[in-house]
Amino acid sequence: MISLAGRDILHAWGKFAFTGVGLGLLIGVTLSMAGVYRGMVDDGKALLDNSGADLWVVQQDTLGPYAESSSLADDAYRGILTMPGVAAAANVTYLTMQVRKGERDVRAMVVGIAPALRGVAPGWPPYLVAGRQITRSHYEAVADVSSGFALGDRLAIRRSQYTVVGLTRRMVSSSGDPMVFIPLKDAQEAQFLKDNDAIWQSRRRSEANPSFNRPGVPGLFDAVIASQSSNASVNAVLVTLKPGQAPDVVAESIRRWKRLTVYTRAQMEGILVGKLIATSSRQIGMFLVILAIVSATIVAFIIYSLTMDKIREIAVLKLIGTRNRTIAAMIMQQAVALGLIGFAVGKISATFAVPIFPKYVLLTPLDALAGLFVVLVICVLASLVSIRMALKVDPAEAIGG
Amino acid sequence: MSDYGIRIEGLRKRYGKGDTAVDALKDVNMQVAPGEVVGLIGPSGSGKSTLLKSLGAVIEPSAGRMVLGEQVIYDDGWKVRDLRALRRDKIGFVFQAPYLIPFLDVTDNVALLPMLAGVANAQARARALELLTALDVQHRARAMPSQLSGGEQQRVAIARGLVNRPPVILADEPTAPLDSVRAMAVIRILNDMARTYETAIIVVTHDEKIIPTFKRIYHIRDGVTHEEAGEGRAFA
């Protein structure tokens, strides 16, 4: 038996091709949206992976340092280092801000990393694609390549200038902003240091406050001013464990004895995916549903139009003894063929569009497979209306009168 | 072989019920022998289309008896379970417009019926080509219907009607869209095919040009058929 659907497609290939391309672009947008979501999740995981930490120690009762702000004393890590099972602990600060280079600026997550030999302390970029790690205590930076910065570039972060000495890759925040690593002291200043006017006004207030500026206590006022000018806070302490240590056990120990909040890798992933990008994922999910409905409507309309165009031929086919299932198969095969053309075009267009997106878009084979399945289901469902109409055609319509 | 390609006795068809009932066919009696071509003529509303649809197993008559060859297909009710297969295997159709499937070439338009009946593609195409050759359109075998002239399309439609060797062909105004020369050619072909394939052909027509060619004519008026002898003129 010949394929009636195949012959019809070959006969009207132009109509099918154009329709398939149109549908394909829609499917391409849908696949890209799914890729955007996957990219967000992967960014979150990359953030956790690249930090090199097994535990995140943060301010008590906060979801820091990524989902909420968190502030810890910068000497807290020393006590954590003494806890059983802890191999290394390092302070870290995170601050998302506009990093300027000349006239332009880039939104980036500035990460303050504690001085250490590479690989000894967590928080450092685990690998570089160019240049070297930070070796000086101040004014050097390592940037993610997606920031667009190059080796030797001079970056302005708050009031200081930094030279890019190394470039890394896939070091991004959970929202996809590239990371710029700078020494911890510089990062603490960038995050907590006030501007000159604010410092001056703060001094005036303190000077006018008799509690801080007592006539009979020399040196008190200077000590207060010094404490206001310095900053001893970090956002989190990243902890790595000794081999064979259970993260939950060590985390519980730190919680108990240091009265801090501690998250394991699994808990932190839950915070990132379940809380930080949950709204975005719901938003994307809504878009996917809308796009699926639009695609289904388009396929249904196209197949309906194609079937309407053949209504006389269908009446003749029924009159000359064609089985209902042959006619139904013809319509369904055309819908499925349209879906396959659309999916192929969509996959190709999404693949080519990925590098154009400003943020990371991850197209996974499993998503593509799921997309193909959904497209086929939509096409089959969309063809049902047309099949129902075709099966209702009276073969007597082929006979005049 | 049966003496009749098709035999219809006391066929009736009533639409609706009660006061609104309409008797489209009141008493139809016809007999067409294998190899014979008869005309069925009548004014609009006389019941031609209803009769054609009843003969074509598209609508169910209300009463009467229809016999195809030696098979009783209707006797106050269908005697055949699969009407679709009956139409495919036992009844050929030729329409006023050819209604060829536009996305199949000429050969496959004709071969489709045997293919639907389960005949292998190659065998079905061979049978189609044989008929196309008999109808002198074999040179257009690979053409699409849109590339054919009106006469060629009608010949392909006739080939399609004949391809499953049905005992009866129902031709509904087959010459209506054709000029007199082509119309006579189609009638000649139908007669040739009827003789060659021992098929009974009923031609429903208003066409004054072809009516004199029938040896027997059935007139239908108000749902009742009357048989009369035709002129049986030789084809021009």
Side-chain angles (χ1 to χ4, degrees):
Chain A
M1 180 63 193
I2 52 176
S3 164
L4 293 175
R7 294 301 183 87
D8 192 22
I9 291 170
L10 284 176
H11 182 248
W13 67 269
K15 191 192 284 184
F16 258 86
F18 278 114
T19 309
V21 168
L23 180 66
L25 294 177
L26 197 64
I27 292 171
V29 172
T30 311
L31 289 175
S32 300
M33 293 292 288
V36 167
Y37 169 72
R38 292 284 179 214
M40 287 166 64
V41 172
D42 200 68
D43 281 348
K45 288 181 178 170
L47 175 67
L48 302 183
D49 287 340
N50 294 334
S51 71
D54 297 314
L55 300 176
W56 283 258
V57 182
V58 298
Q59 184 181 339
Q60 209 166 28
D61 299 328
T62 69
L63 292 170
Y66 310 118
E68 283 181 5
S69 67
S70 153
S71 183
L72 292 177
D74 64 1
D75 60 357
Y77 81 97
R78 291 201 177 104
I80 294 167
L81 266 175
T82 65
M83 300 298 293
V86 172
N91 288 325
V92 69
T93 64
Y94 295 103
L95 172 64
T96 300
M97 61 180 291
Q98 297 298 123
V99 174
R100 294 189 308 280
K101 181 198 149 191
E103 291 301 307
R104 77 181 182 95
D105 55 16
V106 173
R107 185 156 190 81
M109 178 183 258
V110 175
V111 184
I113 48 175
L117 288 174
R118 181 174 175 262
V120 171
W124 283 58
Y127 57 90
L128 299 180
V129 292
R132 59 172 174 78
Q133 294 281 9
I134 294 168
T135 54
R136 292 183 180 173
S137 301
H138 293 286
Y139 311 128
E140 285 189 345
V142 169
D144 186 86
V145 285
S146 64
S147 64
F149 299 140
L151 289 179
D153 280 354
R154 298 280 292 167
L155 312 179
I157 298 173
R158 294 274 193 260
R159 284 177 291 171
S160 303
Q161 297 283 320
Y162 296 81
T163 304
V164 177
V165 296
L167 294 174
T168 184
R169 192 188 292 279
R170 283 297 290 142
M171 297 296 290
V172 291
S173 73
S174 59
S175 53
D177 297 322
M179 283 182 172
V180 173
F181 295 87
I182 62 174
L184 181 70
K185 284 290 174 195
D186 291 350
Q188 285 176 305
E189 273 195 17
Q191 190 170 164
F192 301 109
L193 193 66
K194 295 169 184 164
D195 59 73
N196 288 345
D197 287 338
I199 292 169
W200 181 75
Q201 284 174 10
S202 175
R203 277 183 184 172
R204 279 200 57 191
R205 283 193 199 97
S206 299
E207 198 173 5
N209 188 333
S211 302
F212 295 150
N213 194 9
R214 290 185 203 164
V217 187
L220 175 62
F221 178 65
D222 289 337
V224 169
I225 293 300
S227 72
Q228 286 176 346
S229 307
S230 65
N231 166 53
S233 295
V234 293
N235 297 126
V237 175
L238 303 179
V239 175
T240 52
L241 302 179
K242 290 175 180 166
Q245 296 296 323
D248 289 322
V249 173
V250 178
E252 187 49 42
S253 177
I254 296 172
R255 276 187 209 112
R256 182 178 177 191
W257 296 109
K258 297 300 170 189
R259 298 183 180 279
L260 294 168
T261 295
V262 187
Y263 294 111
T264 60
R265 162 69 200 236
Q267 289 169 330
M268 193 51 88
E269 199 171 309
I271 290 171
L272 281 173
V273 178
K275 298 185 190 301
L276 206 59
I277 60 174
T279 312
S280 303
S281 64
R282 278 201 296 274
Q283 182 104 332
I284 289 170
M286 277 301 295
F287 266 115
L288 290 176
V289 170
I290 291 167
L291 285 168
I293 292 170
V294 170
S295 303
T297 309
I298 289 175
V299 173
F301 176 74
I302 292 164
I303 295 298
Y304 187 81
S305 305
L306 291 171
T307 308
M308 283 297 284
D309 290 346
K310 288 195 290 281
I311 214 76
R312 178 66 86 168
E313 285 79 18
I314 288 171
V316 172
L317 283 171
K318 292 180 85 169
L319 184 68
I320 63 178
T322 308
R323 290 190 198 95
N324 278 346
R325 70 163 181 260
T326 306
I327 293 168
M330 176 179 75
I331 295 168
M332 193 171 284
Q333 284 166 11
Q334 286 185 341
V336 168
L338 198 60
L340 289 175
I341 294 170
F343 181 80
V345 172
K347 182 76 179 77
I348 291 166
S349 61
T351 304
F352 278 101
V354 160
I356 303 168
F357 280 86
K359 286 187 179 178
Y360 184 57
V361 177
L362 179 62
L363 300 175
T364 66
L366 264 180
D367 280 350
L369 216 60
L372 176 62
F373 178 73
V374 170
V375 165
L376 294 181
V377 168
I378 284 175
C379 288
V380 168
L381 292 178
S383 68
L384 294 181
V385 179
S386 303
I387 289 171
R388 188 164 173 270
M389 189 188 69
L391 297 187
K392 279 168 69 179
V393 171
D394 186 355
E397 284 182 30
I399 298 175
Chain B
M1 174 175 279
S2 167
D3 291 340
Y4 297 103
I6 184 166
R7 196 167 75 241
I8 303 154
E9 296 163 359
L11 200 69
R12 287 189 285 146
K13 172 65 184 174
R14 170 174 286 190
Y15 290 109
K17 287 179 180 173
D19 294 343
T20 57
V22 176
D23 288 315
L25 300 178
K26 291 172 185 164
D27 184 20
V28 173
N29 296 282
M30 291 178 76
Q31 293 169 346
V32 187
E36 186 185 17
V37 179
V38 301
L40 176 65
I41 58 178
S44 292
S46 59
K48 291 196 302 293
S49 292
T50 301
L51 176 56
L52 210 57
K53 288 169 188 173
S54 301
L55 300 182
V58 176
I59 60 172
E60 183 171 2
S62 304
R65 181 180 159 87
M66 289 195 289
V67 184
L68 273 185
E70 292 177 341
Q71 183 183 11
V72 178
I73 62 166
Y74 185 86
D75 191 358
D76 292 337
W78 290 115
K79 299 298 172 192
V80 178
R81 187 177 293 174
D82 189 352
L83 295 179
R84 209 178 279 272
L86 174 76
R87 289 200 298 269
R88 184 187 65 212
D89 301 332
K90 303 280 186 182
I91 304 167
F93 294 93
V94 179
F95 310 106
Q96 182 172 339
Y99 295 143
L100 300 176
I101 308 299
F103 49 83
L104 297 180
D105 65 21
V106 163
T107 307
D108 284 344
N109 254 290
V110 178
L112 181 62
L113 257 86
M115 286 177 186
L116 289 172
V119 176
N121 288 4
Q123 203 180 332
R125 287 193 177 111
R127 204 192 283 181
L129 269 174
E130 179 193 324
L131 271 167
L132 292 171
T133 305
L135 288 159
D136 200 25
V137 274
Q138 75 282 6
H139 58 291
R140 308 306 306 269
R142 302 312 305 172
M144 300 305 284
S146 59
Q147 298 169 317
L148 304 180
S149 69
E152 286 173 330
Q153 286 187 17
Q154 200 58 294
R155 274 185 278 169
V156 175
I158 292 169
R160 181 175 64 184
L162 282 163
V163 71
N164 270 351
R165 306 280 194 272
V168 63
I169 286 185
L170 306 175
D172 182 19
E173 304 270 10
T175 60
L178 304 176
D179 61 37
S180 56
V181 174
R182 287 196 176 87
M184 294 308 285
V186 166
I187 289 299
R188 185 166 52 238
I189 288 166
L190 286 175
N191 275 278
D192 289 347
M193 293 298 115
R195 277 195 298 275
T196 307
Y197 297 105
E198 290 290 302
T199 304
I201 300 182
I202 299 172
V203 180
V204 177
T205 186
H206 282 112
D207 194 343
E208 297 291 337
K209 302 183 292 284
I210 64 167
I211 289 172
T213 65
F214 299 118
K215 288 179 181 161
R216 281 197 311 132
I217 295 172
Y218 284 94
H219 283 274
I220 181 165
R221 187 178 294 272
D222 297 331
V224 180
T225 48
H226 307 278
E227 183 188 343
E228 67 178 47
E231 296 177 32
R233 269 190 214 160
F235 307 116

